[in-house]
Structure formats: C-alpha cells, structure tokens
Amino acid sequence: MESFHLVIRKTGSLTVFSTLFSEKNIFHRSFTISLPFYKKRKTEYENIDRPKYGNLIHYLTSGKDRSDRSKLFEEDNAGCQHKRPAHKTETKLLKHWIPLMNPRKTSQHQKFHQGLPLQIALQKNNWASVTSVLHQTMPVEQAANLEKWKQRMILQLGKEGFEEYVKNTFQKGKNFHAAMEALLLTKENVIKEQKEDTSISSYVMSVKHVLQDITRVTALESAVQHEVLYYQGLIDCIAEYRGTLCVIDWKTSEKPKPFLKNTYDNPLQIAAYIGAINHDSNYDFQVNCGLLVVAYKDGSPAHSHFMSSELCSQYWNKWLLRLEEFKKKGNDNTM
C-alpha cells in the first residue's frame, strides 16, 4: 500500500489531506490544524517605522540628487538609533502668504527702458539680503554635505590653501559677472571698458550661445527690495530671453549641472528677486519668469534653465517658508 500527504496552507491554518491507495479501495481523509503563528505577512511598506524614518522617506521620493541618498540614510539612521521622535514630522505651512505678482502693478512689460539699463545702487539699511536668508536657513543635509566638502578640501590644500582657493573662486565669479555686464552693454550699443581676463575666458565662451537669445536688456547689476517683506538683493540681469522677460542669474561651475535640481538654492534666489522686483517702486513693470545660466570652467556649452511662471510660483512659496524661518530665528532686525 502506498500513501502520500498533500498539505495546503491557508490563512491561519494548515489543511492536510492524507490519501491511502490500495488495489481494492481508496481511502482519504482530511483534517485542519489551527496555526496561530501563520499570520498574514506584512509588506515592506507596512513594516516601515514612519515616525522614525519619515524624513528619509520624503527625501527618497522627492527627486533629489541620488548621489547624496546613501549619505543621508546613514546620517538619518544614526540619529534615530537612540532617540525616537515624539510625533510625526509635520509639513510646514506659511503663516503669512504674499503673492509673487503685485496687483497694483501692470502685469506686462509695456514700456521699454530707453538708454542705459537700470543700475540702482543697493540701499544701506538693516534689511536682510537674499543670500543671507538662504545661507542661514540651509537644509541640514545640504549644510552637512557642504561641511564635508570643506573638510575634504582643507585636508587636500591645508587651511591657508583652502582660504586662498575660496578667495580666488569668489574673485573669478566677480570678474565673470563684470565681463557679462560688459558684453550685455555692448549688445545695447553701450561700450564699457573691460580688461581681458584669461582666467574667465572659458566661462565667457561657455555662455556665448545663450547670449544670442537675450535681447532688450532692462537692468544690470541692479538692487531690488521687497517693500512689504523687507529683504533686498542685487540681481545680475533683467532682459528678454527668447521674447520672454526674465530675471537672469549667472552661475559658474566646475561640474555639469544639467538639471535645475542640481543647482540647490539658486531657483529660490531667482524667485526671491522676482518677488522683490514686483514689489519695488523703482521698477514700473513686473516679471514672472526666470533664467538660470550655469557657465563651465572648461568652456563647454552652458546649461540654461528656464523657469516658467508656474515654476517660479512654486519656488516663491518655498522662499517664503525660508524667509519665515529666518525671521523666526531672530535674524531679521526689521521685525
């Protein structure tokens, strides 16, 4: 006589079929054994401790640079091993919302400024600068990466060598902006003397293809101030890019930045400048688009990132959150 057992697993139980075969008869029986340890297996998502890893989950799904994700995971996990947050991380909400566009101004660039582009001097007051707000409210992971880069450079160059490197980098940026100002004034038939600087010639070469699409330069190296939110800044350029009036910001880089997300807080800076222009009585027009141009040290074609009005509005809301955070810390003397 031969026999075999067929075991079928069901949720919460096991059903066993026992069948005996012989030449004359076939006998079978079945019985069910309750197994409380056979519980429904949870999915990986159900097993995630959301209060503990909420920030990490949000970061992994936010579309940020993947190269930083492993570092963030290590930092986030290390910080959560011994301390559990008392409550879930809440999404920050604006307390006071100010529109990007000014309803008291015309929404179109109706007048073309004749003669020299506007170059308004920066006012001496206690208003916060855009760069200061962004620097002092820098996200934790971004600040950590910046500090790691700094320590790595100090290890390679030494402290004095690193200080010299930073000094030279800022000077090259300043010279590059001066060269761009001279080139754009030339486009407007205004000649400005500019000594040739071989250290930035590759950066200038990098952006020449972008200059072909820039017309009607309205402002260059001009101060802007938001007369409601009390902050100020110095814009690089206001001009038309392919027929659309934009705030244009020039940046230099040694590494490619083909996507807007690679430029960190630069889009927030442009949005802040746009909002300031629209609420600055020195400008009789409004802007709702931006252009971020990244020039490269090796002279390769610059990446130009156009920011539509919808995209600028999104970054404007993010800027307002950073500004509120800055003021909450007591950094703003005007409050």
Side-chain angles (χ1 to χ4, degrees), residues 54 199 231 310 323:
S199 66
Y231 69 82
E310 292 80 10
L323 185 61

Side-chain angles (χ1 to χ4, degrees), residues 3 19 97 100 138 176 184 199 274 289 291 306 310:
S3 68
T19 306
W97 182 77
L100 177 65
M138 187 181 299
F176 172 67
L184 291 170
S199 66
I274 291 175
C289 293
L291 181 70
F306 176 75
E310 292 80 10

